Amino acid sequence: FGRSLGNNQTKLENFLVLVKGLGLSSEDLAYFAQDAGINLKHINTSLNEFGVTLKSVSKEYGIDRKRLSKNFMILRRDITDFGHLSNEEILKTTASLTHMRIKLEDAVAVFKKFSTFEDAANSVAILSQTFGMNLDAFDMIQAKNPKEIIDMFRNSMRDTGRSFQDLNRFEKDLMAQHTGMSAESLKAL
């Protein structure tokens, strides 16, 4: 796409406005360039489409666009775990997690923690035995995004009548270990 931008002043100006407006890093641009090439689109087209979706979700959730864009790219660049989701689905997931004050890195860790049935069954068993949480390992591995798993944790913890703040330090450490989330994010639940 470099040649098309270099030979056309208008496209170059649009590109620079989009990059600055969306707050994209060079790594983010590399992702969008590769994605645009795969989908046989010009990078400006891909960035424009993303910008429209970003603006819509940002307005819907009341979150700053640059912050949402930065958090979005944490999930978007992880093609293995989140490649099956559309930009809009990832933006909505990112917005919800940002509202809940959950670190996106923790969301990724949760999703990876529950990627196999064996890992999910072991963690669910310990959480059930220790905290009385009612979780289903099969539902955990079928979740399409980390927010679904985090919602299951939150609802199950709420059903026990306890919160993360009520736990002693050993229980907090055990919960962090078996959910894959940091204590700060668990506190936000």
Side-chain angles (χ1 to χ4, degrees):
F1 73 89
R3 195 176 332 184
S4 72
L5 292 176
N7 294 336
N8 187 323
Q9 184 68 25
T10 306
K11 283 185 179 179
L12 179 61
E13 289 172 2
N14 287 341
F15 173 76
L16 294 174
V17 167
L18 287 167
V19 170
K20 187 172 183 176
L22 297 172
L24 300 175
S25 70
S26 58
E27 293 170 345
D28 301 340
L29 281 175
Y31 171 81
F32 276 107
Q34 182 180 22
D35 187 56
I38 290 169
N39 292 311
L40 302 175
K41 294 180 180 178
H42 192 276
I43 190 164
N44 283 5
T45 305
S46 290
L47 291 175
N48 271 324
E49 290 170 356
F50 173 66
V52 168
T53 308
L54 177 68
K55 184 177 180 181
S56 168
V57 172
S58 173
K59 187 174 181 179
E60 180 182 340
Y61 286 85
I63 298 174
D64 176 61
R65 279 186 283 186
K66 286 189 179 181
R67 180 177 176 201
L68 187 57
S69 175
K70 179 183 172 212
N71 288 343
F72 164 84
M73 290 310 298
I74 292 170
L75 300 183
R76 178 77 291 168
R77 282 193 304 254
D78 188 349
I79 297 169
T80 306
D81 292 325
F82 304 106
H84 64 284
L85 298 173
S86 70
N87 283 349
E88 184 174 4
E89 290 172 317
I90 292 179
L91 277 167
K92 287 185 176 189
T93 298
T94 302
S96 294
L97 293 171
T98 303
H99 262 293
M100 295 167 64
R101 293 185 171 85
I102 294 175
K103 295 179 186 175
L104 273 290
E105 293 81 2
D106 284 344
V108 171
V110 164
F111 209 61
K112 289 180 188 272
K113 178 102 177 139
F114 293 93
S115 60
T116 67
F117 184 76
E118 184 178 349
D119 291 341
N122 288 335
S123 290
V124 165
I126 290 175
L127 292 169
S128 178
Q129 291 171 356
T130 307
F131 304 106
M133 295 172 75
N134 187 17
L135 296 164
D136 185 349
F138 193 66
D139 288 342
M140 296 283 210
I141 61 168
Q142 284 190 320
K144 291 185 179 186
N145 65 55
K147 184 183 178 308
E148 292 177 11
I149 296 173
I150 292 168
D151 284 342
M152 288 180 215
F153 285 143
R154 186 178 59 192
N155 294 337
S156 183
M157 190 67 173
R158 191 177 300 139
D159 290 345
T160 67
R162 297 172 75 189
S163 69
F164 187 73
Q165 290 83 353
D166 298 335
L167 305 177
N168 66 40
R169 68 185 176 113
F170 300 109
E171 291 172 324
K172 288 178 181 178
D173 185 52
L174 187 69
M175 182 167 282
Q177 180 182 352
H178 289 285
T179 60
M181 295 175 68
S182 69
E184 295 84 22
S185 290
L186 285 168
K187 185 178 179 182
L189 294 178

